[in-house]
Amino acid sequence: MRTLYCNGRVYDGNRFVARAILVDDGFISWLGEDEAAADAVGVRVVDLADALVTPAFVDPHVHCTGTGLALTGLDLSETASLSEALALVERAARAGRGRPVLGGGWDETRWPEQRPPTAAELDRAGYGGAVYLARIDVHSAAVSSQLLAGVRDLAGYDPSGHVARVAHDTARTAALAALTPSQTADLQRAALRHAASLGIACVHEMAGPAISSAEDLTSALTLARDEPLPEVIGYWGELFGIDTARELGAVGAAGDLFCDGSIGSHTAALHEPYADRHDTTGMVRFDTADVTEHVVRCVEAGLQAGFHAIGDAAVDQVLTAFELATERIGRPAGPGSRVEHAEYVRDPGRLAASGLVASMQPMFDVMWGGPADMYTQRLGAARAAALNRFADLAAAGVPLAFGSDAPVTPLGPWGAIRAAVRMHDPAAAVSVETALAAHTAGGWRAGGRPAEGRLGIGAPATFAVWDSPGRGLPELAAGGALPGCVATVRAGESIFDAGLPAG
């Protein structure tokens, strides 16, 4: 069935080009004006009612199961105090009748108590059962005694119940193992359906042994293949995990392959100590020689390489590893691969020279980038101002891909674009056009498909329709309403429709 979408304002990714799109067998076969399409016969006609049409969004850094938990389970991101969070845990424990309580999103820097829950408090609130509550950055967690008992001898263990590093990874794995396959699929389906309702036609699932499981990744890939949902591009974040990545159908042994942790959990690797904890600079997890060897093996296997790196010491380690890998293999090792987050980049030119795509999250600045917010608390004003410098990176020629890291920040592409356009420091901001490209074509490039993300004849018919007044792109005023998604189309197939009239 051919479908003609007419009476719209079609932005191809660079400029406004047409009023109508003809879709044939999943591809765009024609673009033009409504008058030229008036005599079309044998087609299904959809009236866009002067709506805005753009390439569909790609979110290049998502955890579907965790996002589903945030959407349907215990979400603590809006709690105003520790006592409120504990009350919600108790309510969930009563409703669960003995099932483990899984949740997250808490941020102690926004609570008057300024601390996480203790294991003893979670034992009382959870009636002695298993409780796992991820911090908002998902690099540490508060756990009950039942989960704490299994990580006592691991790095990052704290008898208080606030675990990080290897202890956190192990506790998280144990907590998620309590989910049945059908529960996991339901959570992933909820996340993907929500993504489609926001104009997202593709997500990159960041899996790995420290963050989820092989079964979790397989479930997400299967759902996206078999149901009308956004495409899932899979990553497996395991050092030297090339064979596993191939077996799972992942495009890279990359993604959340943690060279360090997070700023909020004091585990991002810095060259200088934290401002609020002079006893630590965080920690890189791997030797540079191993990071280099991983890059070489990925390049030789034809897979993407890539690492999670937030602190300046971790970003520098990744860049050094790609430079050493380039020397070993005799050709550039970076192009086609990626670095996740890259919040603290001391030398944008060096990152640009590597050829790596920087997969970044503009909403981090909204949540933690203000003058009194977490980045300043952890790093001091000068270093906090050096984070997430999108304008500097773009000017240096770094390819940008914008996403959410959901559930760390909620899915919401237009919110991320507004964040990138209206940074706390205006000098770090980029234009709406640049941010939109980073969240569409940039995501496809990060996923190894640089030819996608534009609307043109012969391109996949993957686009979103928006309720957005005016003649140009949305202005995205601070505090103003964001465009509402009317429909999302993936390769010609509708994966979300809020009510487009068809004749």
Side-chain angles (χ1 to χ4, degrees):
M1 168 69 75
R2 295 192 301 162
T3 302
L4 176 67
Y5 295 86
C6 61
N7 190 24
R9 294 175 286 124
V10 181
Y11 181 79
D12 70 353
N14 287 312
R15 58 193 177 90
F16 284 89
V17 295
R19 295 280 297 175
I21 304 174
L22 182 62
V23 175
D24 192 349
D25 197 26
F27 292 88
I28 297 172
S29 60
W30 179 84
L31 288 164
E33 298 305 309
D34 290 329
E35 294 79 4
D39 296 329
V41 295
V43 299
R44 172 177 173 265
V45 178
V46 176
D47 184 355
L48 297 173
D50 201 37
L52 172 67
V53 179
T54 69
F57 285 111
V58 178
D59 194 318
H61 195 116
V62 167
H63 307 278
C64 286
T65 301
T67 302
L69 278 168
L71 290 168
T72 65
L74 182 58
D75 179 11
L76 303 177
S77 61
E78 299 298 322
T79 52
S81 67
L82 171 60
S83 59
E84 181 183 349
L86 290 170
L88 291 178
V89 171
E90 183 176 8
R91 185 185 306 170
R94 287 200 307 269
R97 298 185 178 184
R99 292 193 298 271
V101 175
L102 307 180
W106 58 268
D107 182 350
E108 81 286 0
T109 67
R110 299 185 174 186
W111 290 343
E113 296 90 347
Q114 291 287 296
R115 66 171 180 83
T118 66
E121 289 170 330
L122 294 180
D123 290 344
R124 288 193 293 272
Y127 298 99
V131 180
Y132 168 87
L133 303 178
R135 192 181 184 278
I136 192 167
D137 52 30
V138 200
H139 283 276
S140 61
V143 301
S144 64
S145 296
Q146 188 176 131
L147 290 174
L148 191 63
V151 300
R152 292 185 186 279
D153 298 325
L154 302 177
Y157 165 79
D158 188 311
S160 72
H162 183 215
V163 294
R165 297 169 58 194
V166 180
H168 168 252
D169 297 345
T170 304
R172 178 180 174 83
T173 299
L176 292 179
L179 296 171
T180 66
S182 64
Q183 288 172 327
T184 297
D186 286 343
L187 292 170
Q188 293 173 339
R189 187 179 290 109
L192 291 169
R193 285 177 175 169
H194 183 58
S197 76
L198 297 170
I200 299 170
C202 176
V203 303
H204 298 186
E205 172 65 26
M206 296 290 138
I211 197 72
S212 57
S213 67
E215 293 77 15
D216 186 274
L217 176 56
T218 298
S219 175
L221 292 171
T222 300
L223 275 178
R225 184 189 66 224
D226 294 345
E227 300 183 17
L229 296 167
E231 179 178 357
V232 173
I233 296 176
Y235 287 85
W236 183 251
E238 179 182 13
L239 194 67
F240 309 139
I242 286 81
D243 290 341
T244 302
R246 279 176 159 170
E247 291 167 3
L248 292 171
V251 302
D256 269 340
L257 181 45
F258 298 115
C259 281
D260 68 346
S262 73
I263 294 169
S265 292
H266 294 99
T267 51
L270 306 174
H271 285 298
E272 300 295 334
Y274 282 82
D276 61 347
R277 272 196 58 185
H278 300 293
D279 62 325
T280 185
T281 58
M283 181 179 177
V284 291
R285 290 198 174 196
F286 307 123
D287 292 334
T288 301
D290 287 338
V291 178
T292 304
E293 178 65 23
H294 180 84
V295 173
V296 170
R297 292 187 189 183
C298 284
V299 173
E300 291 176 342
L303 289 176
Q304 284 184 297
F307 303 88
H308 163 118
I310 285 181
D312 56 342
V315 172
D316 285 348
Q317 182 192 48
V318 169
L319 293 177
T320 296
F322 274 94
E323 290 161 357
L324 292 171
T326 293
E327 293 177 5
R328 279 181 54 182
I329 65 178
R331 66 183 189 277
S337 289
R338 53 195 287 171
V339 58
E340 306 302 316
H341 312 307
E343 290 200 72
Y344 194 176
V345 179
R346 296 198 299 168
D347 186 349
R350 187 183 180 199
L351 177 54
S354 74
L356 293 168
V357 174
S359 169
M360 305 182 74
Q361 293 73 38
M363 287 298 293
F364 286 5
D365 182 69
V366 172
M367 298 184 69
W368 303 305
D373 288 339
M374 185 267 290
Y375 287 151
T376 299
Q377 294 172 27
R378 294 287 190 266
L379 303 179
R383 283 189 293 177
L387 302 182
N388 299 307
R389 305 289 302 184
F390 302 132
D392 297 346
L393 297 175
V398 177
L400 297 177
F402 287 163
S404 66
D405 195 10
V408 176
T409 72
L411 294 168
W414 283 115
I417 291 173
R418 180 167 63 187
V421 170
R422 303 189 181 280
M423 301 282 287
H424 280 97
D425 180 357
V430 293
S431 68
V432 172
E433 292 81 0
T434 297
L436 179 59
H439 220 323
T440 52
W444 290 113
R445 180 172 183 170
R449 287 151 61 176
E452 299 188 37
R454 306 287 185 192
L455 301 182
I457 295 173
T462 299
F463 56 87
V465 181
W466 305 98
D467 180 7
S468 177
R471 307 314 304 166
L473 292 174
E475 294 183 1
L476 304 176
L482 295 171
C485 186
V486 179
T488 308
V489 176
R490 170 192 165 190
E493 180 181 16
S494 175
I495 58 173
F496 174 75
D497 188 342
L500 280 177

